[in-house]
């Protein structure tokens, strides 16, 4: 049975995830370099932990390649995520990331070859309405918001893929190989990044001052620790409650961003209206989905 401490831990983990966009602004090196160090620190730390726990790393070469490939998607997601916060604000970035759950609601049926539910279409239209409100009054942040929405799509994509992996493999082993794949994907991207995206400045892989601390927090606490605790909590709390709580990540993140960066994160009222519309649709999804399942089950019982 779940205890009060389990729910407090869950909200703490979501708060940590909401803090990642802020860390992306506190670290001085560019977004690609941030992902390089985040993934390196994460897979190295997790690898050491799994080694001392005497965990078996062997899952078959074919599966390893699949998971490494998923890691490349994760690296693209994180690069866009941190870049979105850099070119706009942490709040705009988190508003775009809030579309992740709804992207999942469309991607999952397509990949699993099931029907898309009608209420998902309605919620999708709500998200579009929220984005329209933000774009209309915050057009100067259009690039950042677009990057964040694409990042959310990639997050939904690898989440659905992970749903299949977890049925066959240890979640910690999956994370280890995905972090390795994300690091390798970032390394392979570096030459193209240097050639086309650095404006002749080159790659900056030398963190300075507090960068090392923030990168350690990002790699160890926001990645390895947060994932480990979330998996452990799911032994006692249902996936429905966990997913519902995770949807609060943009709320926590935007509140933290306003408190830390103050005037820089102040937006027009239309931004908060659009974000509210997106969050309402995201929060409504698991509730409506649960009602849909109950209705379908009742119909099956009547047959």
């Amino acid at each position: 049975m779940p205890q009060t401490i389990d729910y407090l831990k869950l909200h703490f983990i979501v708060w940590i995830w909401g803090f990642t966009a802020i860390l992306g602004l506190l670290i001085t090196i560019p977004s690609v370099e941030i992902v390089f160090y985040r993934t390196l620190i994460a897979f190295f730390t997790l690898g050491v932990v799994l080694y001392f726990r005497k965990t078996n790393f062997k899952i078959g070469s074919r599966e390893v390649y699949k998971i490494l490939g998923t890691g490349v998607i994760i690296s693209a997601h994180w690069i866009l995520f941190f870049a979105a916060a850099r070119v706009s604000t942490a709040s705009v970035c988190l508003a775009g990331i809030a579309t992740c759950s709804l992207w999942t609601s469309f991607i999952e049926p397509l990949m699993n070859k099931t029907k898309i539910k009608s209420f998902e279409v309605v919620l999708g239209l709500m998200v579009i309405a929220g984005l329209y409100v933000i774009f209309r009054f915050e057009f100067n942040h259009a690039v950042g918001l677009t990057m964040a929405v694409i990042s959310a799509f990639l997050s939904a994509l690898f989440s659905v893929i992970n749903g299949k992996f977890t049925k066959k493999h240890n979640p910690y082993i999956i994370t280890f190989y995905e972090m390795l794949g994300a690091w390798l994907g970032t390394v392979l991207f570096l030459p193209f990044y240097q050639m086309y995206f650095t404006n002749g400045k080159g790659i900056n892989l030398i963190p300075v001052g507090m960068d090392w601390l923030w990168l350690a927090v990002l790699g160890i606490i926001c990645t390895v620790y947060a994932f480990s605790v979330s998996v452990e909590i799911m032994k006692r709390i249902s996936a429905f409650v966990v997913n519902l709580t995770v949807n609060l990540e943009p709320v926590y993140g935007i509140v933290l961003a306003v408190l830390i960066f103050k005037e820089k994160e102040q937006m027009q009222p239309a931004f908060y209206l659009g974000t509210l519309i997106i969050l309402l649709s995201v929060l409504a999804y698991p509730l409506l989905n649960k009602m849909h399942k109950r209705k379908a089950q009742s119909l099956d019982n009547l047959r």
Side-chain angles (χ1 to χ4, degrees), residues 1-295:
M1 291 291 292
Q3 304 294 324
T4 302
I5 189 66
D6 292 321
Y7 293 107
L8 291 175
K9 281 182 180 179
L10 178 57
H11 280 274
F12 179 61
I13 292 302
V14 176
W15 178 84
I16 288 175
W17 285 332
F19 192 63
T20 54
I22 296 169
L23 286 173
L25 294 177
L26 292 174
I27 299 169
T28 60
I29 60 175
S31 305
V32 176
E33 287 87 328
I34 290 176
V35 177
F36 173 89
Y37 280 108
R38 178 182 188 175
T39 52
L40 176 62
I41 292 169
F43 94 76
F44 178 79
T45 303
L46 191 54
V48 170
V49 171
L50 293 174
Y51 175 79
F52 282 105
R53 286 184 178 181
K54 298 181 179 179
T55 305
N56 186 3
F57 287 84
K58 295 180 180 179
I59 59 174
S61 58
R62 186 174 181 180
E63 291 298 295
V64 168
Y65 291 140
K66 289 180 181 178
I67 297 174
L68 289 175
T70 306
V72 174
I73 297 175
I74 293 173
S75 69
H77 154 68
W78 279 341
I79 289 171
L80 285 169
F81 176 81
F82 290 120
R86 291 286 179 90
V87 302
S88 55
T89 68
S91 297
V92 170
C93 174
L94 290 163
I97 291 297
T99 63
C100 181
S101 294
L102 289 174
W103 279 121
T104 305
S105 71
F106 287 102
I107 293 172
E108 193 167 29
L110 290 173
M111 293 190 68
N112 296 332
K113 297 180 180 180
T114 57
K115 292 183 178 179
I116 294 177
K117 304 175 185 73
S118 58
F119 70 85
E120 292 177 345
V121 176
V122 174
L123 293 177
L125 293 173
M126 283 182 62
V127 171
I128 293 173
L131 291 173
Y132 171 76
V133 171
I134 295 174
F135 269 117
R136 184 179 178 186
F137 294 96
E138 294 288 351
F139 194 74
N140 55 319
H141 293 302
V143 174
L145 186 58
T146 301
M147 294 171 71
V149 170
I150 297 172
S151 176
F153 171 80
L154 294 175
S155 176
L157 179 60
F158 75 72
S159 295
V160 173
I161 296 172
N162 275 349
K164 296 184 177 182
F165 286 148
T166 52
K167 294 177 182 178
K168 298 186 291 183
H169 307 297
N170 183 324
Y172 297 96
I173 293 296
I174 293 171
T175 302
F176 169 76
Y177 283 116
E178 284 185 341
M179 292 302 100
L180 175 57
W183 181 72
L184 291 173
T186 306
V187 170
L188 291 173
F189 178 64
L190 286 178
F192 301 95
Y193 168 67
Q194 181 177 14
M195 189 177 298
Y196 299 108
F197 299 102
T198 61
N199 295 321
K201 296 179 181 178
I203 300 171
N204 182 8
L205 284 175
I206 306 177
V208 295
M210 293 293 289
D211 283 353
W212 287 111
L213 173 63
W214 298 134
L215 284 168
V217 170
L218 184 63
I220 298 173
I221 297 178
C222 296
T223 308
V224 176
Y225 169 77
F227 173 81
S228 302
V229 174
S230 66
V231 172
E232 194 272 333
I233 286 175
M234 288 186 71
K235 295 178 181 178
R236 295 179 296 279
I237 298 179
S238 70
F240 169 77
V241 175
V242 172
N243 289 332
L244 180 63
T245 308
V246 169
N247 286 332
L248 293 172
E249 177 188 341
V251 178
Y252 292 158
I254 290 172
V255 171
L256 286 168
V258 172
L259 290 175
I260 293 173
F261 298 113
K262 298 181 173 62
E263 290 83 3
K264 183 181 177 182
E265 290 290 330
Q266 294 296 328
M267 312 294 289
Q268 295 186 40
F271 168 81
Y272 299 103
L273 173 61
T275 302
L276 178 62
I277 293 172
I278 294 172
L279 291 175
L280 285 175
S281 64
V282 169
L283 292 172
Y285 173 75
L287 296 170
L288 293 174
N289 191 43
K290 192 171 186 178
M291 291 171 59
H292 175 81
K293 288 182 178 179
R294 285 180 176 176
K295 184 178 179 180

